[in-house]
Amino acid sequence: MVAATSEAIGSWPQTVEEFGRLLELTQHELVQFAAWQLGNPLDAEDVVQDVYVQAFRERLDRRHITEVRAYLYRMVRNRCIDLLRTHSRMARAAPEPASPDDPFRAAQAFEQNRRLRGLMGRIPGNEAEVIQYRVWAGLSFSEIAVAVGASVPTVKSRFRYGIEKLRRLLRTGGGSL
Amino acid sequence: MKKELDCRDAMDAMTGLSPNTGTLPSGLQRHLSKCASCRDEWEAQSEVMAVLTPHQSVAASDSFQERVMKAIIQERISENRIAPPQARRWLRWVPAAIAAAALLLAIPFFTATRQPSPGASLLAQSASAFSKVQSVHIQGRIRTVPGDNFELIGAEYDFVPIELWRQYGETARWRVQKPGRVAVMDGKSATLYIEHTNTAAAGGPSAGFVDWLKPLLDPQGILQREIRAANSGEAQIQINQTAAVKAVSMKRHAKGDFTNAWTFNKSIQEADHTCTYRFDPASGLLAGLAVSIQTAAGEVTVAEFDRFLYNEPMPDSLFALQIPENAIWSKNDGGPAREASITFSGPKEAAAYFFDALGRKDWDAALVVYPHTAASEVLKRAYGGVEVIRLGEPFQSGLYRGWFVPYELRMPNGRIKKWNIAVRNDNPQHRWVMDGGF
């Protein structure tokens, strides 16, 4: 999957047609990001659909925003956090197959995803956030700076500190995958 | 020639790089080949990042796009549903319909008895009244510096007159003017002219030349935004409605990071502020706006717009700006005017370079970090031969996306000047440029 570039997306879309184009460019990467956050592709699609509709509803207010991709990721992440808080998805035990064609592989992926999220949960939230945007979403540090409302040096520092903590966790076996 | 990376630079360059990156940047590669410590660091980071990357990719289902587009179209239909049937012929009325839809959907605006609250009622009346508006001419005053950017406000400044004109229709046009500074959007493009420096800038219809004043050119948008703000809890709303007065006040906290408070209270958004909208009791149209900010000394009114003249004729000449032939133009993309192989490690180094160029009166060199086609005579006169006494450490403040570098200069006239220069690199080339504060 190739992530859409900020240049290709342009500014915040204002018409139904422009939203159609935005959807074409970003739907797969946003659904993937939400699925990795939630461990559940079906909930992921619901979350991303809500985000697109919210983005459309608020298009006038957001028309001056140029970093559309970063804002969309932030909206998706916030929705995922709300959903996880509401339904305690993190505690869910049974794997939900991502692909009915290969349930074993899907179960393996789900299990890896569950552990990844568990690992992320053991480092400070603002560091996990930056790492997720960088590693899971492929956002640049300038896009992440926009998404989290901090400077580029700050998000880079958070990334480094987070990676260092994860490294220690992995080394000591506290977060083995 | 680019300098060799040291360990700190290498650490910065490798941060966040994917282990799947094909070829590392040459400078980083050279450093890693010589430095075992950084090499270990790179390998450790790569290992962790590889572990963190999920094994299975996920894609949206085949029906997802269709489902979302249906939901968006449904949303669009519900926006239109409350518009008067005849309004659909006129694109100009759509924003008013959108605002009215937002009003009808603003559940928290209803009281427990399901009666519309006075605030919802007031704003709805005004949104509806706006559907008949062809143009609006707004007059007022703001506490600011003549000629400086439209966003700058300050409780300590005197009031400066300001006027805004907005014409609706198939080709929307506007003009915003205060002493020494004017911006015009003629329907296709926007132009800004600053008199005392004889500088101009051109941009698209959405160019941000008028900053926080832009919503005032779109009163329907203001209403919609304020309704949402009240519903989301972003702003506190207070209604004052009697037979003679209909007013809505929206109180907001400053936005931005004020670990360093340099920009606090220097723009409306970066101040704890209250916007009070006053509506004409008869027509329901917006008739006044006052903006006050909270300072240590108490509440200070920083902007007042008290004349809203609707549907007055507006000549074409109002939306045509005559720029002097010898005007200096700023770069459209915000980047530097002159290409150069020199690069800067950060805002402080770029600011030092700029002041050094001004000190040597090397205007060509200054253009490497100055986003204009030439150095203005004002800049040459004021800064030619300047001497740097001290540069401080860069900091960020408020909503500004660049950096501020504290400086102390001995000016050519012998005066000592202490201030902060604004430096940013959020242009497409990510080149550091001087953005103000000098």
Side-chain angles (χ1 to χ4, degrees):
Chain A
M1 187 191 323
V2 178
T5 62
S6 296
E7 287 76 11
I9 295 170
S11 57
W12 203 273
Q14 293 297 303
T15 64
V16 171
E17 290 72 18
E18 287 170 353
F19 268 86
R21 181 171 149 69
L22 176 72
L23 196 55
E24 278 185 7
L25 287 169
T26 57
Q27 58 170 326
H28 295 303
E29 59 176 289
L30 291 180
V31 167
Q32 173 163 281
F33 183 65
W36 286 348
Q37 295 266 344
L38 299 167
N40 179 341
L42 295 178
D43 278 355
E45 288 203 348
D46 288 345
V47 160
V48 177
Q49 175 172 334
D50 286 350
V51 163
Y52 281 123
V53 173
Q54 184 192 351
F56 180 80
R57 195 179 295 137
E58 296 174 359
R59 63 195 183 281
L60 272 179
D61 291 347
R62 295 173 182 266
R63 63 191 182 280
H64 304 302
I65 291 174
T66 51
E67 293 79 6
V68 178
R69 188 165 170 251
Y71 273 87
L72 287 175
Y73 270 103
R74 184 166 74 174
M75 290 165 77
V76 168
R77 188 171 187 277
N78 288 343
R79 288 238 169 198
C80 288
I81 289 169
D82 289 345
L83 195 62
L84 289 168
R85 280 186 186 139
T86 308
H87 300 298
S88 301
R89 289 292 201 279
M90 294 283 272
R92 188 178 280 183
E96 296 203 18
S99 156
D101 299 328
D102 189 350
F104 178 72
R105 188 161 166 264
Q108 276 185 317
F110 178 83
E111 186 56 14
Q112 187 221 7
N113 185 274
R114 189 186 65 77
R115 289 181 178 178
L116 272 183
R117 286 182 288 116
L119 193 59
M120 291 287 192
R122 297 184 61 183
I123 63 173
N126 58 3
E127 294 172 8
E129 179 184 20
V130 170
I131 290 172
Q132 285 171 355
Y133 282 138
R134 181 74 196 114
V135 182
W136 291 4
L139 294 185
S140 67
F141 282 116
S142 4
E143 286 176 314
I144 297 170
V146 171
V148 305
S151 68
V152 171
T154 300
V155 296
K156 277 191 162 185
S157 297
R158 287 178 190 168
F159 181 90
R160 275 197 293 267
Y161 294 143
I163 290 287
E164 179 56 36
K165 288 181 184 114
L166 290 172
R167 190 200 303 177
R168 278 203 299 272
L169 279 170
L170 289 168
R171 198 178 289 157
T172 57
S176 64
L177 290 172
Chain B
M1 191 180 71
K2 284 184 182 175
K3 65 172 187 175
E4 285 296 312
L5 300 186
D6 57 24
C7 290
R8 190 176 169 172
D9 295 334
M11 189 70 77
D12 191 61
M14 75 173 75
T15 298
L17 268 187
S18 164
N20 300 322
T21 302
T23 311
L24 293 175
S26 56
L28 179 60
Q29 235 172 8
R30 273 199 307 278
H31 183 84
L32 294 183
S33 68
K34 289 184 289 190
C35 176
S37 161
C38 287
R39 202 162 50 241
D40 289 346
E41 191 65 33
W42 165 242
E43 281 168 8
Q45 181 193 290
S46 298
E47 267 177 39
V48 177
M49 285 182 71
V51 166
L52 293 178
T53 306
H55 296 161
Q56 191 180 42
S57 63
V58 179
S61 61
D62 291 342
S63 60
F64 179 68
Q65 185 166 359
E66 186 185 343
R67 205 165 72 233
V68 176
M69 287 313 291
K70 275 184 181 168
I72 286 176
I73 289 166
Q74 190 57 45
E75 182 73 19
R76 186 73 185 85
I77 290 168
S78 64
E79 289 173 350
N80 271 348
R81 194 167 287 147
I82 46 72
Q86 67 272 26
R88 290 179 191 162
R89 293 173 55 203
W90 306 100
L91 193 60
R92 179 175 64 78
W93 289 13
V94 170
I98 290 168
L103 288 165
L104 292 180
L105 295 170
I107 302 304
F109 266 83
F110 285 84
T111 64
T113 57
R114 306 299 300 161
Q115 294 300 310
S117 74
S121 164
L122 268 181
L123 295 173
Q125 282 170 25
S126 184
S128 169
F130 253 107
S131 66
K132 301 183 185 73
V133 170
Q134 306 286 340
S135 69
V136 58
H137 175 193
I138 305 169
Q139 294 176 328
R141 57 205 150 272
I142 53 177
R143 290 189 189 276
T144 187
V145 177
D148 211 314
N149 69 62
F150 285 114
E151 195 160 45
L152 177 72
I153 53 109
E156 70 279 22
Y157 299 134
D158 289 333
F159 275 115
V160 167
I162 185 160
E163 282 188 273
L164 303 88
W165 294 262
R166 169 71 192 255
Q167 190 176 56
Y168 299 91
E170 286 183 12
T171 308
R173 305 188 289 186
W174 53 255
R175 179 186 183 105
V176 178
Q177 187 167 346
K178 69 175 185 175
R181 197 178 191 95
V182 57
V184 165
M185 202 284 285
D186 63 6
K188 292 177 183 166
S189 60
T191 310
L192 170 74
Y193 181 64
I194 305 158
E195 197 179 318
H196 80 286
T197 53
N198 191 28
T199 52
S206 305
F209 296 146
V210 295
D211 306 310
W212 73 276
L213 290 166
K214 199 160 188 182
L216 203 52
L217 293 166
D218 182 17
Q220 299 98 324
I222 283 187
L223 300 172
Q224 189 185 7
R225 193 184 57 191
E226 299 298 39
I227 290 160
R228 289 229 173 87
N231 280 342
S232 68
E234 180 200 322
Q236 293 173 0
I237 187 167
Q238 190 178 357
I239 313 295
N240 179 12
Q241 183 168 19
T242 65
V245 177
K246 289 184 174 182
V248 176
S249 289
M250 307 294 295
K251 194 171 186 176
R252 284 182 171 80
H253 288 297
K255 283 185 180 172
D257 180 354
F258 296 102
T259 308
N260 184 308
W262 173 247
T263 61
F264 187 64
N265 278 355
K266 286 191 171 69
S267 75
I268 300 290
Q269 279 192 303
E270 291 164 308
D272 294 332
H273 67 277
T274 303
C275 292
T276 302
Y277 301 93
R278 185 167 49 79
F279 299 91
D280 181 81
S283 69
L285 286 170
L286 190 61
L289 167 61
V291 185
S292 60
I293 63 170
Q294 196 62 46
T295 72
E299 196 162 334
V300 177
T301 300
V302 291
E304 290 177 320
F305 299 91
D306 52 5
R307 292 198 75 195
F308 284 68
L309 308 163
Y310 292 101
N311 297 332
E312 68 174 18
M314 292 187 177
D316 288 344
S317 57
L318 196 59
F319 306 105
L321 201 54
Q322 300 301 320
I323 306 292
E325 281 186 8
N326 63 348
I328 292 165
W329 288 82
S330 71
K331 288 272 288 165
N332 284 349
D333 60 5
R338 195 163 296 266
E339 289 305 317
S341 56
I342 189 165
T343 57
F344 304 103
S345 59
K348 185 176 179 181
E349 192 186 2
Y353 172 90
F354 180 61
F355 286 131
D356 176 65
L358 297 181
R360 291 182 287 107
K361 300 186 183 181
D362 185 346
W363 314 121
D364 280 347
L367 294 184
V368 170
V369 289
Y370 188 58
H372 291 78
T373 52
S376 72
E377 288 308 313
V378 173
L379 182 73
K380 289 178 181 177
R381 274 200 306 274
Y383 287 87
V386 73
E387 181 190 333
V388 176
I389 299 171
R390 188 186 68 86
L391 287 182
E393 290 310 307
F395 65 88
Q396 292 192 290
S397 180
L399 294 170
Y400 186 60
R401 291 174 55 188
W403 294 76
F404 296 98
V405 180
Y407 64 78
E408 185 175 350
L409 303 177
R410 190 182 312 283
M411 302 297 282
N413 62 9
R415 187 169 62 90
I416 302 295
K417 181 174 181 179
K418 283 185 181 180
W419 203 247
N420 300 314
I421 188 167
V423 188
R424 65 197 301 168
N425 72 338
D426 54 349
N427 49 68
Q429 307 90 18
H430 300 293
R431 297 266 305 274
W432 290 104
V433 293
M434 304 302 119
D435 193 35
F438 56 91

Coordinates of all heavy atoms in Angstrom, one line a residue, chain B residues 20 29 249 304 396:
Chain B
N20 N 13.9 -0.4 6.6 CA 13.7 -0.8 5.2 C 14.1 0.2 4.2 O 13.9 0.1 3.0 CB 12.2 -1.2 5.0 CG 11.8 -2.3 5.9 OD1 12.6 -3.2 6.2 ND2 10.6 -2.3 6.4
Q29 N 25.6 7.6 6.2 CA 26.4 6.4 5.8 C 27.9 6.5 6.2 O 28.5 5.7 6.8 CB 26.3 6.1 4.3 CG 25.7 4.8 4.0 CD 25.4 4.6 2.5 OE1 25.8 5.5 1.7 NE2 24.8 3.5 2.2
S249 N -22.2 36.4 23.7 CA -20.8 36.5 24.0 C -20.2 35.1 24.0 O -20.8 34.2 24.5 CB -20.6 37.1 25.3 OG -20.9 38.5 25.2
E304 N -13.2 46.5 17.8 CA -14.6 46.9 17.8 C -15.0 47.1 16.3 O -14.4 47.8 15.6 CB -14.8 48.2 18.5 CG -14.6 48.1 20.0 CD -14.8 49.5 20.7 OE1 -14.3 50.5 20.1 OE2 -15.4 49.5 21.7
Q396 N 10.0 28.4 20.9 CA 8.7 28.4 20.3 C 7.7 29.0 21.2 O 7.8 28.9 22.4 CB 8.3 27.0 19.8 CG 9.2 26.6 18.6 CD 8.7 25.3 17.9 OE1 8.7 24.2 18.5 NE2 8.3 25.5 16.7

